[in-house]
Amino acid sequence: MPAFERHVFVCQNTRPADAPRPSCTADGKSELHAQLQQYANAAGLGDRVRINKAGCLDQCEHGPTVVVYPEAVWYGNVQASDAAEIVSEHLAGGRPVERLRLAEGCINTKACPHRR
Amino acid sequence: MPAFERHVFVCQNTRPADAPRPSCTADGKSELHAQLQQYANAAGLGDRVRINKAGCLDQCEHGPTVVVYPEAVWYGNVQASDAAEIVSEHLAGGRPVERLRLAEGCINTKACPHRR
């Protein structure tokens, strides 16, 4: 296996409550990360897909955010309850979960209308 | 800009000194991350390339490790002094730094000969 088939990064960033941009986790703990890992393992993807913790992914207005490489699919407002669908549809099935995808006009741009 | 042109993940993982696998940072602080960020900004890549902190990338025997997506280029034993070359050659120039690349037989496999 030359590389992970898919590498999933789950933002764990925490800011003070009065910071100008929001946080993806309240305290650096992420039930979302744990659930993704659990479902990926249960689906037999443990060796082919890595569910990684990440620092700030810079899409803070849409958190909790997740990015899946190598396809660079960005998800926003992802809840732990979305983990099963992300694993079965995207990580196992190869079909990104459209309802969770960030709009193109929001990704990596200060012009995102949700950014103050 | 629909996605980062390149997204660089720098392992920040720290384990206790007596853990069976080694750590990528002594204390979760990474001069490597700071240097990559600084050189990337200086090269005018700030908006196109993101230098991200990451939790354990699971290539612990080859740390500090870095992975660059979307091309999934893995680097091992990366020092802060390598940051300038990674930025100028790979992130700006599109030419991965061959001397730092992990061997294919070492990436994401328990059969890696360096893994105890």
mmCIF file of all heavy atoms in Angstrom, chain A residues 42-82:
data_model
loop_
_atom_site.group_PDB
_atom_site.id
_atom_site.type_symbol
_atom_site.label_atom_id
_atom_site.label_comp_id
_atom_site.label_asym_id
_atom_site.label_seq_id
_atom_site.Cartn_x
_atom_site.Cartn_y
_atom_site.Cartn_z
ATOM 1 N N ALA A 42 -14.966 -0.408 11.514
ATOM 2 C CA ALA A 42 -16.039 -1.405 11.395
ATOM 3 C C ALA A 42 -16.286 -1.777 9.934
ATOM 4 O O ALA A 42 -16.678 -2.901 9.623
ATOM 5 C CB ALA A 42 -17.314 -0.871 12.035
ATOM 6 N N ALA A 43 -16.013 -0.830 9.029
ATOM 7 C CA ALA A 43 -16.219 -1.090 7.602
ATOM 8 C C ALA A 43 -14.999 -1.760 6.971
ATOM 9 O O ALA A 43 -14.955 -1.962 5.752
ATOM 10 C CB ALA A 43 -16.532 0.221 6.878
ATOM 11 N N GLY A 44 -14.002 -2.076 7.794
ATOM 12 C CA GLY A 44 -12.813 -2.758 7.270
ATOM 13 C C GLY A 44 -11.872 -1.833 6.520
ATOM 14 O O GLY A 44 -11.038 -2.270 5.735
ATOM 15 N N LEU A 45 -11.989 -0.529 6.771
ATOM 16 C CA LEU A 45 -11.170 0.449 6.053
ATOM 17 C C LEU A 45 -9.928 0.860 6.845
ATOM 18 O O LEU A 45 -9.168 1.715 6.401
ATOM 19 C CB LEU A 45 -11.999 1.707 5.756
ATOM 20 C CG LEU A 45 -13.210 1.517 4.850
ATOM 21 C CD1 LEU A 45 -14.022 2.813 4.789
ATOM 22 C CD2 LEU A 45 -12.770 1.110 3.446
ATOM 23 N N GLY A 46 -9.755 0.255 8.014
ATOM 24 C CA GLY A 46 -8.714 0.693 8.941
ATOM 25 C C GLY A 46 -7.337 0.855 8.327
ATOM 26 O O GLY A 46 -6.607 1.787 8.654
ATOM 27 N N ASP A 47 -6.964 -0.039 7.404
ATOM 28 C CA ASP A 47 -5.616 0.020 6.820
ATOM 29 C C ASP A 47 -5.542 0.915 5.591
ATOM 30 O O ASP A 47 -4.448 1.271 5.163
ATOM 31 C CB ASP A 47 -5.155 -1.389 6.413
ATOM 32 C CG ASP A 47 -4.818 -2.231 7.632
ATOM 33 O OD1 ASP A 47 -4.580 -1.660 8.710
ATOM 34 O OD2 ASP A 47 -4.807 -3.469 7.489
ATOM 35 N N ARG A 48 -6.695 1.249 5.033
ATOM 36 C CA ARG A 48 -6.680 1.965 3.744
ATOM 37 C C ARG A 48 -7.062 3.431 3.882
ATOM 38 O O ARG A 48 -6.759 4.249 2.999
ATOM 39 C CB ARG A 48 -7.638 1.281 2.762
ATOM 40 C CG ARG A 48 -7.132 -0.089 2.321
ATOM 41 C CD ARG A 48 -8.286 -1.034 1.974
ATOM 42 N NE ARG A 48 -9.262 -0.431 1.090
ATOM 43 C CZ ARG A 48 -10.542 -0.822 1.007
ATOM 44 N NH1 ARG A 48 -11.016 -1.769 1.792
ATOM 45 N NH2 ARG A 48 -11.362 -0.229 0.163
ATOM 46 N N VAL A 49 -7.742 3.734 4.956
ATOM 47 C CA VAL A 49 -8.213 5.108 5.157
ATOM 48 C C VAL A 49 -7.728 5.563 6.527
ATOM 49 O O VAL A 49 -7.858 4.817 7.504
ATOM 50 C CB VAL A 49 -9.762 5.150 5.111
ATOM 51 C CG1 VAL A 49 -10.278 6.494 5.578
ATOM 52 C CG2 VAL A 49 -10.260 4.835 3.703
ATOM 53 N N ARG A 50 -7.168 6.745 6.607
ATOM 54 C CA ARG A 50 -6.792 7.244 7.928
ATOM 55 C C ARG A 50 -7.678 8.425 8.316
ATOM 56 O O ARG A 50 -7.849 9.371 7.553
ATOM 57 C CB ARG A 50 -5.330 7.670 7.980
ATOM 58 C CG ARG A 50 -4.945 8.128 9.392
ATOM 59 C CD ARG A 50 -3.481 8.126 9.652
ATOM 60 N NE ARG A 50 -3.189 8.552 11.016
ATOM 61 C CZ ARG A 50 -3.209 7.761 12.082
ATOM 62 N NH1 ARG A 50 -3.498 6.474 11.939
ATOM 63 N NH2 ARG A 50 -2.938 8.231 13.281
ATOM 64 N N ILE A 51 -8.210 8.326 9.523
ATOM 65 C CA ILE A 51 -9.003 9.414 10.086
ATOM 66 C C ILE A 51 -8.060 10.187 10.992
ATOM 67 O O ILE A 51 -7.660 9.709 12.046
ATOM 68 C CB ILE A 51 -10.196 8.874 10.910
ATOM 69 C CG1 ILE A 51 -10.985 7.809 10.140
ATOM 70 C CG2 ILE A 51 -11.075 10.029 11.346
ATOM 71 C CD1 ILE A 51 -11.684 8.286 8.896
ATOM 72 N N ASN A 52 -7.687 11.378 10.571
ATOM 73 C CA ASN A 52 -6.647 12.141 11.262
ATOM 74 C C ASN A 52 -7.210 13.336 12.006
ATOM 75 O O ASN A 52 -8.178 13.948 11.551
ATOM 76 C CB ASN A 52 -5.655 12.681 10.230
ATOM 77 C CG ASN A 52 -4.222 12.471 10.649
ATOM 78 O OD1 ASN A 52 -3.751 13.038 11.625
ATOM 79 N ND2 ASN A 52 -3.512 11.654 9.935
ATOM 80 N N LYS A 53 -6.598 13.648 13.126
ATOM 81 C CA LYS A 53 -6.866 14.919 13.775
ATOM 82 C C LYS A 53 -6.070 15.998 13.061
ATOM 83 O O LYS A 53 -4.966 15.742 12.562
ATOM 84 C CB LYS A 53 -6.464 14.856 15.253
ATOM 85 C CG LYS A 53 -7.315 13.879 16.040
ATOM 86 C CD LYS A 53 -6.882 13.786 17.488
ATOM 87 C CE LYS A 53 -7.755 12.764 18.218
ATOM 88 N NZ LYS A 53 -7.351 12.553 19.614
ATOM 89 N N ALA A 54 -6.637 17.190 12.997
ATOM 90 C CA ALA A 54 -5.929 18.302 12.362
ATOM 91 C C ALA A 54 -6.085 19.565 13.178
ATOM 92 O O ALA A 54 -7.077 19.737 13.905
ATOM 93 C CB ALA A 54 -6.462 18.549 10.947
ATOM 94 N N GLY A 55 -5.096 20.437 13.062
ATOM 95 C CA GLY A 55 -5.239 21.786 13.571
ATOM 96 C C GLY A 55 -6.184 22.557 12.662
ATOM 97 O O GLY A 55 -6.791 21.994 11.739
ATOM 98 N N CYS A 56 -6.285 23.854 12.888
ATOM 99 C CA CYS A 56 -7.232 24.713 12.159
ATOM 100 C C CYS A 56 -7.124 24.527 10.650
ATOM 101 O O CYS A 56 -6.053 24.672 10.071
ATOM 102 C CB CYS A 56 -6.960 26.181 12.517
ATOM 103 S SG CYS A 56 -8.040 27.326 11.629
ATOM 104 N N LEU A 57 -8.255 24.226 10.016
ATOM 105 C CA LEU A 57 -8.307 24.058 8.560
ATOM 106 C C LEU A 57 -8.728 25.354 7.863
ATOM 107 O O LEU A 57 -8.857 25.391 6.645
ATOM 108 C CB LEU A 57 -9.262 22.914 8.196
ATOM 109 C CG LEU A 57 -8.840 21.503 8.645
ATOM 110 C CD1 LEU A 57 -9.981 20.501 8.429
ATOM 111 C CD2 LEU A 57 -7.596 21.028 7.904
ATOM 112 N N ASP A 58 -8.973 26.382 8.658
ATOM 113 C CA ASP A 58 -9.221 27.733 8.150
ATOM 114 C C ASP A 58 -10.555 27.910 7.426
ATOM 115 O O ASP A 58 -10.688 28.786 6.579
ATOM 116 C CB ASP A 58 -8.054 28.169 7.250
ATOM 117 C CG ASP A 58 -7.936 29.695 7.168
ATOM 118 O OD1 ASP A 58 -8.377 30.377 8.109
ATOM 119 O OD2 ASP A 58 -7.410 30.195 6.160
ATOM 120 N N GLN A 59 -11.518 27.055 7.765
ATOM 121 C CA GLN A 59 -12.880 27.233 7.226
ATOM 122 C C GLN A 59 -13.809 27.427 8.431
ATOM 123 O O GLN A 59 -14.901 26.857 8.510
ATOM 124 C CB GLN A 59 -13.314 26.001 6.416
ATOM 125 C CG GLN A 59 -12.265 25.396 5.525
ATOM 126 C CD GLN A 59 -11.747 26.357 4.468
ATOM 127 O OE1 GLN A 59 -12.535 27.143 3.905
ATOM 128 N NE2 GLN A 59 -10.458 26.307 4.201
ATOM 129 N N CYS A 60 -13.356 28.270 9.360
ATOM 130 C CA CYS A 60 -13.902 28.308 10.719
ATOM 131 C C CYS A 60 -15.392 28.630 10.773
ATOM 132 O O CYS A 60 -16.093 28.200 11.680
ATOM 133 C CB CYS A 60 -13.115 29.307 11.549
ATOM 134 S SG CYS A 60 -11.327 29.165 11.308
ATOM 135 N N GLU A 61 -15.882 29.407 9.816
ATOM 136 C CA GLU A 61 -17.301 29.791 9.835
ATOM 137 C C GLU A 61 -18.211 28.605 9.495
ATOM 138 O O GLU A 61 -19.436 28.717 9.585
ATOM 139 C CB GLU A 61 -17.547 30.940 8.857
ATOM 140 C CG GLU A 61 -16.965 32.265 9.324
ATOM 141 C CD GLU A 61 -15.432 32.319 9.312
ATOM 142 O OE1 GLU A 61 -14.812 31.556 8.551
ATOM 143 O OE2 GLU A 61 -14.866 33.107 10.089
ATOM 144 N N HIS A 62 -17.610 27.514 9.069
ATOM 145 C CA HIS A 62 -18.388 26.351 8.632
ATOM 146 C C HIS A 62 -18.107 25.123 9.470
ATOM 147 O O HIS A 62 -18.377 23.997 9.049
ATOM 148 C CB HIS A 62 -18.091 26.065 7.157
ATOM 149 C CG HIS A 62 -18.407 27.205 6.263
ATOM 150 N ND1 HIS A 62 -19.672 27.467 5.806
ATOM 151 C CD2 HIS A 62 -17.623 28.205 5.784
ATOM 152 C CE1 HIS A 62 -19.656 28.560 5.068
ATOM 153 N NE2 HIS A 62 -18.422 29.038 5.041
ATOM 154 N N GLY A 63 -17.509 25.313 10.617
ATOM 155 C CA GLY A 63 -17.113 24.190 11.438
ATOM 156 C C GLY A 63 -18.283 23.476 12.079
ATOM 157 O O GLY A 63 -19.385 24.040 12.152
ATOM 158 N N PRO A 64 -18.056 22.265 12.575
ATOM 159 C CA PRO A 64 -16.810 21.509 12.427
ATOM 160 C C PRO A 64 -16.552 21.121 10.959
ATOM 161 O O PRO A 64 -17.446 20.641 10.268
ATOM 162 C CB PRO A 64 -17.046 20.259 13.266
ATOM 163 C CG PRO A 64 -18.159 20.623 14.217
ATOM 164 C CD PRO A 64 -19.009 21.600 13.475
ATOM 165 N N THR A 65 -15.310 21.348 10.538
ATOM 166 C CA THR A 65 -14.961 21.056 9.148
ATOM 167 C C THR A 65 -14.085 19.814 9.037
ATOM 168 O O THR A 65 -13.338 19.466 9.935
ATOM 169 C CB THR A 65 -14.245 22.246 8.473
ATOM 170 O OG1 THR A 65 -13.157 22.668 9.276
ATOM 171 C CG2 THR A 65 -15.190 23.388 8.249
ATOM 172 N N VAL A 66 -14.199 19.204 7.862
ATOM 173 C CA VAL A 66 -13.488 17.967 7.533
ATOM 174 C C VAL A 66 -13.057 18.101 6.078
ATOM 175 O O VAL A 66 -13.811 18.624 5.252
ATOM 176 C CB VAL A 66 -14.455 16.755 7.680
ATOM 177 C CG1 VAL A 66 -13.837 15.485 7.111
ATOM 178 C CG2 VAL A 66 -14.855 16.545 9.143
ATOM 179 N N VAL A 67 -11.838 17.642 5.768
ATOM 180 C CA VAL A 67 -11.439 17.575 4.368
ATOM 181 C C VAL A 67 -10.918 16.174 4.075
ATOM 182 O O VAL A 67 -10.236 15.563 4.911
ATOM 183 C CB VAL A 67 -10.402 18.666 4.002
ATOM 184 C CG1 VAL A 67 -9.111 18.543 4.797
ATOM 185 C CG2 VAL A 67 -10.099 18.657 2.500
ATOM 186 N N VAL A 68 -11.283 15.673 2.908
ATOM 187 C CA VAL A 68 -10.890 14.322 2.503
ATOM 188 C C VAL A 68 -9.964 14.430 1.298
ATOM 189 O O VAL A 68 -10.339 15.008 0.267
ATOM 190 C CB VAL A 68 -12.126 13.472 2.119
ATOM 191 C CG1 VAL A 68 -11.701 12.049 1.743
ATOM 192 C CG2 VAL A 68 -13.133 13.440 3.265
ATOM 193 N N TYR A 69 -8.760 13.903 1.452
ATOM 194 C CA TYR A 69 -7.803 13.855 0.339
ATOM 195 C C TYR A 69 -7.613 12.428 -0.105
ATOM 196 O O TYR A 69 -7.863 11.516 0.674
ATOM 197 C CB TYR A 69 -6.448 14.460 0.789
ATOM 198 C CG TYR A 69 -6.482 15.964 0.839
ATOM 199 C CD1 TYR A 69 -6.551 16.629 2.049
ATOM 200 C CD2 TYR A 69 -6.483 16.700 -0.343
ATOM 201 C CE1 TYR A 69 -6.600 18.020 2.088
ATOM 202 C CE2 TYR A 69 -6.543 18.091 -0.307
ATOM 203 C CZ TYR A 69 -6.594 18.744 0.909
ATOM 204 O OH TYR A 69 -6.660 20.108 0.925
ATOM 205 N N PRO A 70 -7.182 12.153 -1.363
ATOM 206 C CA PRO A 70 -6.656 13.138 -2.298
ATOM 207 C C PRO A 70 -7.683 13.921 -3.079
ATOM 208 O O PRO A 70 -7.315 14.816 -3.841
ATOM 209 C CB PRO A 70 -5.826 12.265 -3.256
ATOM 210 C CG PRO A 70 -6.534 10.968 -3.276
ATOM 211 C CD PRO A 70 -7.062 10.774 -1.870
ATOM 212 N N GLU A 71 -8.975 13.654 -2.907
ATOM 213 C CA GLU A 71 -9.948 14.326 -3.771
ATOM 214 C C GLU A 71 -10.294 15.728 -3.322
ATOM 215 O O GLU A 71 -11.015 16.438 -4.016
ATOM 216 C CB GLU A 71 -11.205 13.483 -3.937
ATOM 217 C CG GLU A 71 -11.913 13.107 -2.642
ATOM 218 C CD GLU A 71 -11.548 11.708 -2.164
ATOM 219 O OE1 GLU A 71 -10.364 11.502 -1.837
ATOM 220 O OE2 GLU A 71 -12.446 10.847 -2.094
ATOM 221 N N ALA A 72 -9.788 16.156 -2.155
ATOM 222 C CA ALA A 72 -10.037 17.515 -1.671
ATOM 223 C C ALA A 72 -11.523 17.835 -1.593
ATOM 224 O O ALA A 72 -11.980 18.874 -2.059
ATOM 225 C CB ALA A 72 -9.307 18.548 -2.536
ATOM 226 N N VAL A 73 -12.277 16.948 -1.006
ATOM 227 C CA VAL A 73 -13.694 17.197 -0.753
ATOM 228 C C VAL A 73 -13.822 17.808 0.641
ATOM 229 O O VAL A 73 -13.348 17.233 1.617
ATOM 230 C CB VAL A 73 -14.514 15.894 -0.844
ATOM 231 C CG1 VAL A 73 -15.904 16.066 -0.234
ATOM 232 C CG2 VAL A 73 -14.635 15.458 -2.300
ATOM 233 N N TRP A 74 -14.443 18.974 0.701
ATOM 234 C CA TRP A 74 -14.596 19.709 1.964
ATOM 235 C C TRP A 74 -16.016 19.576 2.486
ATOM 236 O O TRP A 74 -16.976 19.822 1.757
ATOM 237 C CB TRP A 74 -14.291 21.192 1.750
ATOM 238 C CG TRP A 74 -12.849 21.514 1.602
ATOM 239 C CD1 TRP A 74 -12.134 21.477 0.432
ATOM 240 C CD2 TRP A 74 -11.933 21.916 2.627
ATOM 241 N NE1 TRP A 74 -10.824 21.835 0.681
ATOM 242 C CE2 TRP A 74 -10.676 22.107 2.018
ATOM 243 C CE3 TRP A 74 -12.056 22.130 3.995
ATOM 244 C CZ2 TRP A 74 -9.556 22.515 2.731
ATOM 245 C CZ3 TRP A 74 -10.937 22.537 4.711
ATOM 246 C CH2 TRP A 74 -9.706 22.722 4.089
ATOM 247 N N TYR A 75 -16.112 19.246 3.768
ATOM 248 C CA TYR A 75 -17.407 19.175 4.436
ATOM 249 C C TYR A 75 -17.474 20.218 5.552
ATOM 250 O O TYR A 75 -16.467 20.486 6.217
ATOM 251 C CB TYR A 75 -17.615 17.797 5.068
ATOM 252 C CG TYR A 75 -17.760 16.657 4.083
ATOM 253 C CD1 TYR A 75 -16.970 15.521 4.197
ATOM 254 C CD2 TYR A 75 -18.696 16.702 3.055
ATOM 255 C CE1 TYR A 75 -17.110 14.453 3.304
ATOM 256 C CE2 TYR A 75 -18.851 15.647 2.160
ATOM 257 C CZ TYR A 75 -18.049 14.523 2.295
ATOM 258 O OH TYR A 75 -18.199 13.480 1.417
ATOM 259 N N GLY A 76 -18.672 20.747 5.757
ATOM 260 C CA GLY A 76 -18.861 21.722 6.825
ATOM 261 C C GLY A 76 -20.028 21.364 7.722
ATOM 262 O O GLY A 76 -20.916 20.598 7.334
ATOM 263 N N ASN A 77 -19.992 21.953 8.914
ATOM 264 C CA ASN A 77 -21.020 21.711 9.936
ATOM 265 C C ASN A 77 -21.273 20.218 10.122
ATOM 266 O O ASN A 77 -22.411 19.753 10.136
ATOM 267 C CB ASN A 77 -22.322 22.447 9.567
ATOM 268 C CG ASN A 77 -23.329 22.401 10.708
ATOM 269 O OD1 ASN A 77 -22.960 22.233 11.882
ATOM 270 N ND2 ASN A 77 -24.609 22.516 10.381
ATOM 271 N N VAL A 78 -20.176 19.473 10.231
ATOM 272 C CA VAL A 78 -20.276 18.013 10.331
ATOM 273 C C VAL A 78 -20.469 17.618 11.794
ATOM 274 O O VAL A 78 -19.704 18.041 12.667
ATOM 275 C CB VAL A 78 -19.011 17.330 9.777
ATOM 276 C CG1 VAL A 78 -19.233 15.825 9.700
ATOM 277 C CG2 VAL A 78 -18.645 17.885 8.410
ATOM 278 N N GLN A 79 -21.485 16.827 12.031
ATOM 279 C CA GLN A 79 -21.779 16.359 13.381
ATOM 280 C C GLN A 79 -21.371 14.893 13.525
ATOM 281 O O GLN A 79 -21.245 14.182 12.532
ATOM 282 C CB GLN A 79 -23.278 16.519 13.664
ATOM 283 C CG GLN A 79 -23.804 17.925 13.438
ATOM 284 C CD GLN A 79 -23.085 18.957 14.299
ATOM 285 O OE1 GLN A 79 -22.913 18.779 15.503
ATOM 286 N NE2 GLN A 79 -22.649 20.054 13.683
ATOM 287 N N ALA A 80 -21.196 14.475 14.760
ATOM 288 C CA ALA A 80 -20.845 13.067 15.004
ATOM 289 C C ALA A 80 -21.892 12.141 14.379
ATOM 290 O O ALA A 80 -21.559 11.061 13.885
ATOM 291 C CB ALA A 80 -20.725 12.819 16.503
ATOM 292 N N SER A 81 -23.118 12.613 14.336
ATOM 293 C CA SER A 81 -24.190 11.784 13.762
ATOM 294 C C SER A 81 -24.086 11.645 12.242
ATOM 295 O O SER A 81 -24.815 10.851 11.640
ATOM 296 C CB SER A 81 -25.554 12.378 14.129
ATOM 297 O OG SER A 81 -25.614 13.737 13.731
ATOM 298 N N ASP A 82 -23.191 12.407 11.616
ATOM 299 C CA ASP A 82 -22.973 12.283 10.172
ATOM 300 C C ASP A 82 -21.884 11.258 9.845
ATOM 301 O O ASP A 82 -21.658 10.949 8.661
ATOM 302 C CB ASP A 82 -22.538 13.641 9.577
ATOM 303 C CG ASP A 82 -23.602 14.713 9.722
ATOM 304 O OD1 ASP A 82 -24.792 14.402 9.489
ATOM 305 O OD2 ASP A 82 -23.248 15.861 10.058
#
